[in-house]
Amino acid sequence: MPDSAAARSDDPSPGPSDTPAAKFTELRALLVGPEQRQLHALQTRLEDPAAQARDVSRVLATAVELRTRDPHLQRALAPTIEDAITASVRRNPRPLADALFPIIGPAIRKAIAATLNGMLESLNTTLEHSLSWRSLQWRLDARRSGRPFAEVVLLNTLLYRVEQVFLIHRPSGLLLQHLTASGTTAQDADMVSGMLTAIRDFVQDSFKVGEDEGLQTLKVGDLSVWIEQGPHALLAVVVRGAAPPSLRTTLQQALEAVHAQYSDLLESFDGNAARFEGTRPLLDVCFRQEFRGRERPRGIPPRIMVIAATVLLAVGVWMFFALRARSRWNGYVNALRAEPGVVVVSTARAAGKYVVTGLRDPLAPDPALLLPSHNLGPDSVESRWELYQALHPSIVIARARQLLAPPGGVSLEFKDGVLLATGSAPVEWIETALQVAPFVPGVARFEARPVIDSALAALAASIESAMPMFVKGSTAFTAGSEAIIGDQVTRLASLDALGRAARRQFTVELVGEADADGAVESNLPLSQRRAERVLGLLAPPRLAHVTLTASGIGSRSAAPTGEDETNKQRNRRVSFYVNRDADRR
């Protein structure tokens, strides 16, 4: 075996690694292998999103810092940042509120303090002059000119005040920012800006002045316009009164601050003034004002002060009680006007009393009952009422109840001239109501059909429940049947009265019957005779609105032969049917 191995190792034939292709591959790996590995690594890195994110994160902060003042970067990032903030606030506003808390709190307190200081200054100035002799002249001026007294005081005590501030782009003349002092009424800011620019250009063209020697002051009535010019913007303020020269320094400092912070935006201004919203804090310093020194009021004699105070106190007390009494009286009159059935014609005051005159329905509430609820005594009010009949629904119903006296089961409603009665009532009341109701004032028509139908149903049920019985094979009554017929006479009289009141005709059919024990030929005549006998006892000629008919049906509805005597007795009878001939057959 060792000999064989040695023999193979000494074999001069070439191996696979000694071929020209293998050697060329090895040579290529030695020459370009490192570059290929680098290219492969670069390709892998470029196709890996995580690697790309890591590379961008390393240079993003530096890139943003280098391009902070680039308006293109600001425009590109603004929508993304706004959307992110909006989504964050909608999801959870608490983190943003916590972050802004240290800023918002002081800002709100500062704004409130500034507003209160201005209000207190104006109030102190007004109160200071409200009791002085000079204030009388100012009050006359206020009444004559139609201005508020506080405004007149302000005009007479104010040295100067800056009321409006305009920041204008110098090359284009477009308005960049406009601020107004509190309580100042401003005109169209863009129009004012255009006019100032036109005046400035007119001065420069007419008087051949340089760019830096433009218009500085413009007088308009009791107002003056101070103008400060910068390289890219000019500042114009509207001043009321005589301002000191130090105001010019304030304007210059404010304009310099605007140029320092917004120079890039001013140079590349494209007409979008919204980018200069942040200039408001820089321009707020321009709002200055100064009042005259407070004059020491001249001494007023204590005696005059006491007399004036007493008179004012007496007038105040008198006005208080007079206004309170007037308020109570007005409340009482308004309550009277709201009462149905009461018409107030006039009110006056005579001999120390209030006098009210008008019309009053007898069924309306007594007006005197309203006096205590308005703290008025009966001796302080004199009432003069004339009687009349009101047509208010509540009054009409009250009048109908008084005249008709409906029983407890009847309800009355009134609408559009129709008086409607519902429920159940005796026939006698229905007959009376149908005669009286049309004469109730305000009632054009009386609708009693629901009550009539209810009474008819009850009366018909009572008539149909009565059944006189007969002895077997004859027309003789059993015990108690004659009393039933007597009650039927009363019920039929009520039915006739109901028909007379409702102007209706009713038909009551008497149907005689027989049991099934006898022959059919004899049962039919027997049942007919039974019905006719009952009809004769009811005295039908007295019923004008009720028609009685008698017929026999024999034993058609009788119990079968072989039933007990109790069931057979029930078939020896006469039944009553009211207006239901077709249903009962």
Side-chain angles (χ1 to χ4, degrees):
M1 292 296 291
D3 295 340
S4 300
R8 285 195 300 272
S9 63
D10 295 336
D11 190 357
S13 60
S17 60
D18 296 334
T19 63
K23 291 180 179 181
F24 178 75
T25 301
E26 184 177 1
L27 178 61
R28 185 177 62 180
L30 293 174
L31 294 177
V32 300
E35 288 78 2
Q36 289 182 344
R37 286 192 294 274
Q38 290 178 0
L39 290 174
H40 179 70
L42 287 175
Q43 183 178 2
T44 304
R45 187 171 184 177
L46 291 175
E47 295 177 353
D48 185 5
Q52 295 177 7
R54 288 193 297 271
D55 293 340
V56 173
S57 66
R58 293 190 186 99
V59 299
L60 181 60
T62 304
V64 172
E65 184 177 0
L66 291 175
R67 306 293 290 180
T68 301
R69 308 296 296 181
D70 187 0
H72 298 288
L73 179 62
Q74 296 175 1
R75 286 195 297 269
L77 292 179
T80 303
I81 295 175
E82 291 173 357
D83 293 342
I85 293 176
T86 302
S88 176
V89 171
R90 288 177 178 174
R91 183 174 62 255
N92 184 10
R94 185 62 182 271
L96 185 61
D98 294 340
L100 294 177
F101 176 75
I103 302 174
I104 294 178
I108 293 176
R109 288 194 295 272
K110 182 178 179 181
I112 293 176
T115 303
L116 289 178
N117 288 336
M119 292 174 57
L120 291 176
E121 182 69 23
S122 176
L123 181 61
N124 290 335
T125 304
T126 304
L127 291 178
E128 230 177 60
H129 297 280
S130 60
L131 297 178
S132 65
W133 297 111
R134 188 169 54 177
S135 67
L136 297 177
Q137 181 181 357
W138 292 349
R139 291 188 182 275
L140 292 176
D141 293 340
R143 176 170 295 183
R144 185 169 52 252
S145 62
R147 294 179 177 179
F149 175 67
E151 182 178 348
V152 175
V153 173
L154 182 63
L155 293 176
N156 285 276
T157 58
L158 180 69
L159 285 177
Y160 83 94
R161 181 176 66 171
V162 176
E163 295 188 347
Q164 299 187 57
V165 177
F166 296 87
L167 180 64
I168 304 173
H169 188 239
R170 184 170 179 175
S172 64
L174 296 178
L175 181 67
L176 302 179
Q177 188 60 265
H178 176 226
L179 285 76
T180 59
S182 60
T184 301
T185 302
Q187 303 296 329
D188 187 352
D190 291 323
M191 181 182 67
V192 175
S193 173
M195 293 178 62
L196 290 176
T197 303
I199 295 173
R200 182 201 64 176
D201 295 341
F202 170 76
V203 171
Q204 290 180 350
D205 295 340
S206 300
F207 299 98
K208 306 301 181 181
V209 296
E211 290 289 337
D212 298 330
E213 299 178 355
L215 186 65
Q216 293 185 346
T217 305
L218 179 64
K219 189 70 174 176
V220 184
D222 59 345
L223 300 176
S224 59
V225 181
W226 288 27
I227 303 174
E228 280 295 326
Q229 302 192 39
H232 304 291
L234 61 87
L235 185 64
V237 297
V238 179
V239 182
R240 183 182 297 276
S246 59
L247 178 62
R248 183 76 65 179
T249 303
T250 302
L251 301 183
Q252 293 171 354
Q253 293 174 351
L255 188 58
E256 291 170 357
V258 171
H259 277 81
Q261 296 189 24
Y262 291 88
S263 59
D264 294 340
L265 292 179
L266 289 171
E267 292 178 5
S268 60
F269 179 63
D270 57 356
N272 184 11
R275 299 179 182 177
F276 296 90
E277 187 67 24
T279 59
R280 283 181 171 270
L282 304 177
L283 302 177
D284 280 337
V285 298
C286 300
F287 287 107
R288 298 290 184 88
Q289 63 181 6
E290 186 177 347
F291 294 88
R292 292 189 180 92
R294 298 175 179 173
E295 300 178 358
R296 178 173 299 183
R298 298 179 180 178
I300 301 176
R303 186 175 183 180
I304 296 179
M305 292 290 293
V306 171
I307 294 175
T310 304
V311 172
L312 289 176
L313 179 61
V315 171
V317 172
W318 175 81
M319 290 183 63
F320 170 76
F321 285 104
L323 292 176
R324 187 181 67 174
R326 189 66 183 177
S327 175
R328 291 175 177 177
W329 170 247
N330 291 336
Y332 171 70
V333 173
N334 292 333
L336 283 179
R337 289 193 172 100
E339 285 291 336
V342 175
V343 178
V344 177
V345 177
S346 65
T347 60
R349 186 170 178 83
K353 289 186 177 183
Y354 291 107
V355 179
V356 55
T357 60
L359 306 176
R360 176 175 173 265
D361 191 286
L363 297 178
D366 187 358
L369 299 178
L370 300 176
L371 293 173
S373 61
H374 295 84
N375 296 318
L376 293 174
D379 297 335
S380 63
V381 178
E382 181 180 350
S383 300
R384 302 170 184 173
W385 302 108
E386 296 291 338
L387 296 180
Y388 91 114
Q389 289 185 334
L391 299 182
H392 191 276
S394 60
I395 300 297
V396 174
I397 291 179
R399 186 177 296 115
R401 290 186 178 278
Q402 185 182 58
L403 296 177
L404 300 181
V410 175
S411 298
L412 297 179
E413 299 178 7
F414 180 74
K415 184 178 181 182
D416 298 332
V418 179
L419 181 64
L420 175 64
T422 58
S424 58
V427 177
E428 294 79 6
W429 181 87
I430 296 175
E431 188 173 10
T432 302
L434 288 171
Q435 296 175 358
V436 176
F439 298 98
V440 175
V443 175
R445 182 167 60 89
F446 178 56
E447 180 58 61
R449 182 174 297 276
V451 179
I452 294 174
D453 292 342
S454 176
L456 177 60
L459 190 57
S462 177
I463 293 174
E464 293 178 349
S465 64
M467 292 181 293
M469 302 295 180
F470 293 87
V471 178
K472 182 179 179 65
S474 70
T475 58
F477 293 110
T478 60
S481 293
E482 292 183 358
I484 292 175
I485 296 175
D487 294 337
Q488 286 292 75
V489 172
T490 303
R491 297 187 187 103
L492 291 175
S494 298
L495 183 62
D496 184 69
L498 184 62
R500 181 173 57 255
R503 297 180 181 179
R504 294 174 58 179
Q505 294 289 331
F506 302 108
T507 300
V508 178
E509 183 177 2
L510 285 66
V511 180
E513 301 181 32
D515 58 29
D517 287 350
V520 176
E521 295 79 4
S522 59
N523 285 338
L524 182 59
L526 177 60
S527 63
Q528 180 69 31
R529 290 194 301 273
R530 288 174 175 173
E532 292 174 353
R533 184 180 182 192
V534 173
L535 178 61
L537 295 176
L538 293 177
R542 292 182 299 173
L543 304 177
H545 293 271
V546 177
T547 301
L548 301 179
T549 63
S551 62
I553 60 173
S555 58
R556 282 183 292 175
S557 62
T561 305
E563 291 289 335
D564 56 21
E565 185 61 26
T566 302
N567 289 335
K568 293 180 180 181
Q569 178 60 51
R570 290 177 56 83
N571 293 121
R572 298 191 288 268
R573 64 186 181 187
V574 170
S575 300
F576 295 83
Y577 301 103
V578 179
N579 289 341
R580 297 177 185 175
D581 300 343
D583 296 336
R584 296 298 183 177
R585 287 290 182 174

